[in-house]
Amino acid sequence: MEDKIRALSDRALEELEKADTAEALEAWRLSYLSRKGELNSLMSGLRDAAPEDRPRLGQEINRLKVSLQEGFTARQERFEEERRSRAVSAEQVDVTLPGIPPSPGRLHLTTLTLRKICRIFHGMGFEVLESPEVESDEYNFEMLNMPPHHPARDMWDTFYLTESVLLRTHTSPGQIHAMLPASPKPLRVILPGRCYRYEAVTARSEFMFYQVEGLAVGPHITLSHLKGVLETFARQMFGEERTIRFRGSYFPFTEPSVEVDMDCILCHGRGCRICKGTGWLEIAGAGMVHPKVLENGGYDPKEHSGLAFGMGPERIAMLINRVDDIRYFYSNDLRFLSQYS
Ligand code: PHE
């Protein structure tokens, strides 16, 4: 019996060492350790041994069982280890191959356009300021001569954060922010920034877009200054041959108010698809700062006057690049965005 135990131990351990596939390991386990395996039949053989030998032999068989189980676990772990390292070496990378070049990214079309606009106005002595995107009703409307229930508020519906705090609908509240700390000194600023409107998103309008506000206040600012500034801008932005025209309009915060048109960059005024046959393209809303707004900004309208305008940089970029849908700007499609740099 003892010989049998020793022989089984030697054979089992030797075979275990040779088992080098998952299937061989499993076959080994079945033939030695399973219910019908050799170890169990050795155990049943105990019946034939002399009664006084049984406890000792039983203990020996149990020791063998433990050692085979431990041997099996160890072999299994080693096998796993080997399999992993084979997988790693199969995956080895050639570090001398050229890598994937990191893409440096680029500026957004809106940013490019804003920078160009700022540069042009900077050349005319305008300082660049920024004012908050989250505004109070007071700044967005009341200080701009639109008391509560003023019908003109309908032109600018927006997202309200509370009853009196909202996402600004235009950059015009920046006029007040710029004037208050500067009054009564002459002032020349542009204010680029994001605006929001509660509107259906279409090819022509987004709920979020940019504006560039312009404001100049001084003792003798006139409508001709406004025209000169905007014509200079149109020529530098769209080409030397541009002309502009004013059309009477209405804004509560300017008096008089105008819409600013520029002759069509495609057909030069003859009429085409871009200008819808009119020969003109609208590029800004503008006017002379309303006396009440000057007062709200701390200026005395008898001593100072001001010009103001507001334009949409996306629209300007659309005209220059013949983009026919404003939704391309903020839908993050690189096929569109990567065309501009
Ligand atoms: N704030 C106006 C708008 O959003 C544009 C404007 C600005 C008009 C300044 C006149 C003066 O439509």
Side-chain angles (χ1 to χ4, degrees):
M1 186 83 185
E2 270 140 329
D3 290 347
K4 256 192 176 169
I5 297 176
R6 207 164 309 116
L8 178 63
S9 167
D10 290 349
R11 184 155 49 83
L13 290 175
E14 193 182 320
E15 276 179 25
L16 180 60
E17 204 45 48
K18 284 196 206 126
D20 55 0
T21 63
E23 294 77 36
L25 269 174
E26 178 60 8
W28 184 92
R29 191 188 65 79
L30 287 173
S31 75
Y32 291 102
L33 293 176
S34 68
R35 201 161 50 80
K36 288 189 177 150
E38 295 204 33
L39 208 65
N40 272 352
S41 49
L42 206 56
M43 215 41 131
S44 343
L46 268 185
R47 263 174 294 163
D48 305 330
E52 65 274 20
D53 289 341
R54 279 182 205 163
R56 190 177 41 83
L57 289 171
Q59 272 177 9
E60 241 173 85
I61 295 175
N62 268 334
R63 264 200 299 278
L64 175 59
K65 189 175 176 183
V66 171
S67 106
L68 289 191
Q69 270 166 344
E70 283 174 359
F72 177 74
T73 318
R75 180 72 188 96
Q76 218 176 12
E77 275 167 16
R78 199 145 50 83
F79 173 75
E80 268 306 306
E81 190 69 24
E82 284 163 9
R83 205 181 52 80
R84 259 198 301 274
S85 76
R86 268 199 305 276
V88 168
S89 57
E91 255 173 35
Q92 246 169 18
V93 280
D94 179 353
V95 294
T96 65
L97 284 173
I100 301 164
S103 148
R106 66 187 77 225
L107 294 177
H108 192 280
L109 177 55
T110 303
T111 311
L112 293 165
T113 313
L114 282 171
R115 288 194 178 181
K116 201 161 169 201
I117 295 173
C118 288
R119 215 165 27 242
I120 293 172
F121 284 109
H122 187 246
M124 289 187 266
F126 285 76
E127 212 180 318
V128 179
L129 287 189
E130 284 185 314
S131 75
E133 277 174 46
V134 176
E135 271 296 3
S136 58
D137 183 277
E138 192 187 4
Y139 271 76
N140 197 77
F141 293 121
E142 282 174 50
M143 302 271 258
L144 295 172
N145 201 26
M146 271 179 278
H149 311 300
H150 192 292
R153 284 186 177 217
D154 290 352
M155 290 200 284
W156 294 285
D157 201 0
T158 186
F159 303 99
Y160 285 81
L161 306 182
T162 72
E163 219 168 292
S164 57
V165 180
L166 46 87
L167 298 182
R168 67 176 173 193
T169 58
H170 50 179
T171 43
S172 299
Q175 292 186 27
I176 308 286
H177 287 292
M179 280 191 276
L180 277 177
S183 64
K185 285 196 287 294
L187 180 70
R188 226 181 284 176
V189 294
I190 55 167
L191 297 128
R194 283 194 196 101
C195 304
Y196 302 81
R197 285 190 197 170
Y198 180 65
E199 276 194 48
V201 173
T202 67
R204 296 170 55 88
S205 61
E206 263 286 2
F207 71 91
M208 190 285 293
F209 53 93
Y210 279 73
Q211 279 192 344
V212 178
E213 189 83 8
L215 172 71
V217 183
H220 304 292
I221 303 278
T222 68
L223 201 69
S224 350
H225 291 121
L226 178 62
K227 195 156 188 197
V229 164
L230 290 172
E231 190 174 70
T232 304
F233 167 75
R235 291 184 172 167
Q236 293 194 18
M237 195 77 195
F238 294 95
E240 268 314 306
E241 66 280 17
R242 294 280 73 82
T243 61
I244 63 164
R245 72 171 184 186
F246 283 172
R247 257 182 307 123
S249 184
Y250 172 74
F251 299 103
F253 35 90
T254 45
E255 183 58 39
S257 303
V258 295
E259 299 287 347
V260 186
D261 293 344
M262 163 182 85
D263 61 323
C264 178
I265 49 177
L266 192 63
C267 65
H268 304 283
R270 281 188 299 276
C272 68
R273 193 178 56 86
I274 291 197
C275 59
K276 304 212 170 59
T278 63
W280 296 94
L281 299 166
E282 193 182 310
I283 56 164
M288 300 308 290
V289 182
H290 194 287
K292 281 220 181 108
V293 177
L294 282 172
E295 263 170 25
N296 293 340
Y299 288 82
D300 177 353
K302 286 198 241 22
E303 314 239 318
H304 286 91
S305 52
L307 62 83
F309 53 87
M311 58 177 75
E314 290 94 348
R315 176 161 164 75
I316 289 173
M318 285 167 79
L319 289 174
I320 293 176
N321 299 293
R322 313 277 194 271
V323 177
D324 57 12
D325 194 324
I326 194 172
R327 289 170 293 195
Y328 286 128
F329 281 74
Y330 306 115
S331 48
N332 287 339
D333 188 338
L334 287 178
R335 289 172 302 179
F336 171 74
L337 296 174
S338 60
Q339 292 175 57
Y340 308 99
S341 54

